[in-house]
Amino acid sequence: MDSLNALALVCSLKPSPDPSSSELMARQVLDALAEHGVTGDSVRVVDFDVHPGVKTDMGDGDAWPEIRRRILDADILLVSTPTWVGHMSSVAQRVLERLDAELSETDDQGRPSMFGKVAVTAVVGNEDGAHKITADLYQALGDTGFTIPAQGGTYWNHEAMNPKDYIDLERTPDAVASATATLARNAAHLARLLRERPYPAP
């Protein structure tokens, strides 16, 4: 299989080395992708000074340009976020805001910079909201130019009003493991198709 590369943007509010459910689920997705010949790495975004804004580089001290370079080098992007008050984390929202700049960026054939890249999602939380967060991520990533595979999201929500974290589970639930495996299989397949048959230039 042709080698592919994946980058996980972990949008936890907890800085390293604090344990993070979003980090755990991102690692599980990367491990599943590895079974399909995809090498991967993760970035915990909160560890970096990503400035607010909608440009690719917001100036002195902005850590986004280096993260952006790693996104450009990847075939598959994973956005992994916790659920907070029914929404994605503020860190994930900032990632989407910074990715908005890609609408003005093109490759050497005039295609939007993120065309040809696959995006997938992972959401964890001890409250409701995963479906809405996944939908919001899909819309934003699709608008930016990423391609979403069939069943390209995995998630875990605990029972409402009964707090428990994904990282505290003794084992991965079968439904989550199955969703993650499907995500990985379809994402790797789609990424290879897009590499072989890229979108046409304008």
Side-chain angles (χ1 to χ4, degrees), residues 168-188:
D168 296 327
L169 300 182
E170 295 182 1
R171 58 182 294 275
T172 302
D174 291 342
V176 176
S178 177
T180 298
T182 300
L183 176 159
R185 182 169 58 251
N186 292 350

Side-chain angles (χ1 to χ4, degrees), residues 81-84 86-88 123 129-138:
T81 179
T83 303
W84 284 103
H87 300 276
M88 70 182 78
V123 181
H131 279 183
K132 180 185 184 302
I133 292 170
T134 300
D136 289 346
L137 289 170
Y138 276 13

Side-chain angles (χ1 to χ4, degrees), residues 59-103:
D60 186 37
D62 183 18
W64 181 254
E66 176 58 23
I67 295 174
R68 177 179 183 266
R69 181 193 64 76
R70 296 177 69 175
I71 296 171
L72 289 169
D73 288 342
D75 300 289
I76 300 170
L77 176 69
L78 165 66
V79 178
S80 180
T81 179
T83 303
W84 284 103
V85 292
H87 300 276
M88 70 182 78
S89 72
S90 58
V91 177
Q93 182 64 41
R94 180 158 297 183
V95 164
L96 297 182
E97 290 163 356
R98 296 307 302 269
L99 283 171
D100 184 76
E102 302 307 324
L103 294 172

Side-chain angles (χ1 to χ4, degrees), residues 148-201:
I148 313 295
Q151 298 184 356
T154 187
Y155 73 93
W156 177 83
N157 277 149
H158 191 52
E159 178 185 359
M161 307 297 289
N162 184 16
K164 188 172 187 177
D165 290 333
Y166 185 68
I167 201 169
D168 296 327
L169 300 182
E170 295 182 1
R171 58 182 294 275
T172 302
D174 291 342
V176 176
S178 177
T180 298
T182 300
L183 176 159
R185 182 169 58 251
N186 292 350
H189 175 72
L190 180 58
R192 288 193 171 89
L193 289 177
L194 288 174
R195 177 180 287 185
E196 295 169 5
R197 299 287 299 273
Y199 288 113

